[in-house]
Amino acid sequence: NKGKYEHYMQKEIHEQPESLTTTMRGRLIRGGSCKAKSVLLGGIKDHLKTIRRSRRIVFIGCGTSYNAALASRPILEELCGIPVTMEIASDLLDRLGPIYREDTVVFVSQSGETADTLLALEYALENGALCVGITNTVGSAIARNTHCGVHINAGCEIGVASTKAYTSQIVVMVMLALAIGDDTISNQTRRESIIDGLFELPSKVREVLKLDQEMKDLAKELMSEQSLLVFGRGYNYATALEGALKVKEVALMHSEGILAGEMKHGPLALVDENLPIVVIATHDACFSKQQSVIQQLHARKGRLIVMCSKGEASLVCPGGSCRVIEVPQVVDCIQPVVNIVPLQGHFLKTSGDLRKKIKHSDESESRECGR
Ligand code: UD1
Ligand code: F6R
């Protein structure tokens, strides 16, 4: 039932404060006078020792699920100190890339049934790795065939373009990083501040959803363009890739997510006063580097739309020289959850073609339900 929404995708975007709450339910421990704040993931608690001993963590997924893993990679590296590598399922299979017994391989999939991800799981099992699933669908092939895992519990996702599963996947992988890194005392303060951030995340997502009208207006302006670039880095490199993927899928428009650190190694050649460019520049350790990217884009007269933390418009856009999207700030590693929301579905309303596509998907391509 779509309720007051025109499409399942819209409904699922607006459901995110609730789906994130369900994802975290029973898994965050508030702590107390003598007990530290912590995370309990029932599905992997008996495997944590093995995971901590592994030589490498390999994330495998496709599309949006791959992007969610990419968003979580930095915090996993930071809290666990284990090298993390990224694999798009089909590419790993094309190369038959090395997977070892000492690896922990994490399979990320909303449906739990994606063919390439399943083939990669078979391949990793043959190679003797510990296989962990992160899926929305209880009883799916990935949930059944992995050694252990975590259900994201985001509720059924029906829209073909993944939205609430993406944000719940990131939250589960941040919780995974907290659980694996739980044996390191030196990270305790950092871990507790992330847990505090997770508690307040649903209300921050509710707040960012209020940008609805502003984003619709922007989308209307951009709909007639040929292309849209999205620059991000660090925690928000994934936001750039996922934002561009949503624009492609939903607006049927060319869009490219670009690692901001690579800008001067080619992409700068594309910049002129016509091509719209979204720059993700919320406040984190990469902020000053993003400020200098914005200056360079400015120098090329780039048509900029900058996403920044609330109250920081003047830091990213001196003299009001560009368009700004101000979003609530949260702890750096979960900022991608907030930042993706304005890019998820606003190009939808103005596209007749998409309406057809979404309608078709609602009727005949519905994905299987999570719970
Ligand atoms: C489980 C129950 C939940 C209950 C909670 C109470 C299920 C599905 N979940 O949640 O209803 O409220 O205990 O403590 O019954 N798994 C995989 N691969 C995957 C995903 C999961 O092997 O890709 C396995 C896990 O290792 C675990 C089981 O499936 O053995 C359930 O996982 P999950 O639902 O995440 O566990 P809990 O959160 O403990
Ligand atoms: C994009 C999208 C796809 C899926 C991909 C993997 O909006 O939905 O890119 O993310 O097909 O699907 P799952 O997560 O079910 O393995």
Side-chain angles (χ1 to χ4, degrees):
N1 185 330
K2 293 194 287 277
K4 64 179 176 177
Y5 298 103
E6 241 180 287
H7 310 291
Y8 278 110
M9 185 182 169
Q10 256 179 334
K11 175 174 177 271
E12 287 162 3
I13 290 168
H14 287 268
E15 254 170 30
Q16 288 177 107
E18 291 75 36
S19 53
L20 289 166
T21 303
T22 322
T23 296
M24 294 187 277
R25 183 163 295 140
R27 290 169 165 171
L28 294 182
I29 296 160
R30 277 186 190 279
S33 51
C34 53
K35 213 171 152 215
K37 288 175 188 145
S38 60
V39 160
L40 178 70
L41 295 173
I44 56 148
K45 68 175 182 345
D46 297 336
H47 295 80
L48 283 173
K49 273 199 188 132
T50 316
I51 299 174
R52 286 183 192 127
R53 277 202 304 264
S54 49
R55 276 226 243 138
R56 175 173 79 141
I57 294 173
V58 184
F59 272 130
I60 302 186
C62 305
T64 292
S65 293
Y66 173 91
N67 293 341
L70 186 66
S72 323
R73 179 195 201 181
I75 195 62
L76 206 74
E77 289 177 334
E78 181 192 329
L79 295 182
C80 312
I82 304 171
V84 181
T85 61
M86 301 294 310
E87 292 285 356
I88 292 172
S90 64
D91 187 44
L92 176 73
L93 295 165
D94 289 347
R95 294 168 10 246
L96 294 178
I99 296 288
Y100 302 109
R101 265 194 320 176
E102 299 81 5
D103 288 335
T104 293
V105 187
V106 182
F107 295 85
V108 188
S109 172
Q110 189 285 133
S111 61
E113 303 288 350
T114 300
D116 287 331
T117 313
L118 267 171
L119 288 170
L121 170 57
E122 256 173 53
Y123 176 70
L125 287 169
E126 279 163 21
N127 286 281
L130 175 70
C131 294
V132 180
I134 309 275
T135 176
N136 197 26
T137 313
V138 177
S140 62
I142 288 176
R144 281 185 279 113
N145 296 322
T146 41
H147 296 118
C148 62
V150 187
H151 290 114
I152 68 167
N153 299 343
C156 185
E157 187 173 72
I158 292 173
V160 160
S162 183
T163 54
K164 63 174 181 172
Y166 178 72
T167 48
S168 284
Q169 285 166 337
I170 296 176
V171 161
V172 162
M173 286 182 270
V174 169
M175 292 196 290
L176 180 70
L178 290 164
I180 301 172
D182 199 20
D183 63 336
T184 321
I185 308 263
S186 58
N187 282 332
Q188 182 65 20
T189 315
R190 170 79 162 140
R191 281 201 306 274
E192 295 210 358
S193 78
I194 297 169
I195 293 172
D196 288 340
L198 287 169
F199 274 119
E200 60 171 23
L201 187 59
S203 70
K204 299 289 180 173
V205 169
R206 198 165 286 124
E207 201 180 319
V208 78
L209 281 165
K210 291 185 189 146
L211 294 177
D212 224 26
Q213 194 52 50
E214 191 181 326
M215 290 307 300
K216 264 181 208 154
D217 295 344
L218 178 62
K220 225 178 251 175
E221 271 175 49
L222 297 178
M223 257 351 249
S224 54
E225 301 297 335
Q226 291 290 312
S227 178
L228 176 73
L229 301 187
V230 190
F231 279 85
R233 73 194 311 148
Y235 291 109
N236 287 292
Y237 173 33
T239 309
L241 296 189
E242 177 60 10
L245 182 61
K246 288 293 93 105
V247 173
K248 277 180 203 144
E249 262 187 308
V250 171
L252 311 180
M253 171 177 158
H254 173 256
S255 184
E256 214 57 60
I258 295 176
L259 185 66
E262 279 288 283
M263 181 188 68
K264 44 183 182 296
H265 306 293
L268 198 57
L270 289 171
V271 180
D272 62 18
E273 64 273 27
N274 299 316
L275 173 66
I277 303 175
V278 175
V279 184
I280 315 290
T282 41
H283 209 118
D284 60 21
C286 296
F287 183 62
S288 60
K289 291 187 196 166
Q290 278 307 69
Q291 281 178 306
S292 96
V293 162
I294 292 167
Q295 275 166 9
Q296 291 174 57
L297 291 169
H298 243 320
R300 298 274 178 135
K301 302 198 166 37
R303 186 175 155 195
L304 303 188
I305 300 140
V306 181
M307 183 183 289
C308 69
S309 303
K310 209 170 244 176
E312 294 199 342
S314 62
L315 298 180
V316 294
C317 172
S321 46
C322 48
R323 190 111 180 208
V324 169
I325 307 165
E326 290 189 54
V327 298
Q329 192 172 346
V330 292
V331 182
D332 52 11
C333 64
I334 48 175
Q335 190 69 48
V337 171
V338 171
N339 290 0
I340 196 59
V341 174
L343 304 173
Q344 274 178 332
H346 298 285
F347 293 77
L348 179 72
K349 279 243 139 174
T350 46
S351 162
D353 281 340
L354 182 79
R355 262 189 213 139
K356 264 188 258 150
K357 182 187 156 203
I358 294 282
K359 186 157 183 295
H360 173 69
S361 71
D362 284 353
E363 282 162 8
S364 55
E365 280 176 30
S366 298
R367 297 166 182 221
E368 294 195 7
C369 285
R371 327 166 35 114

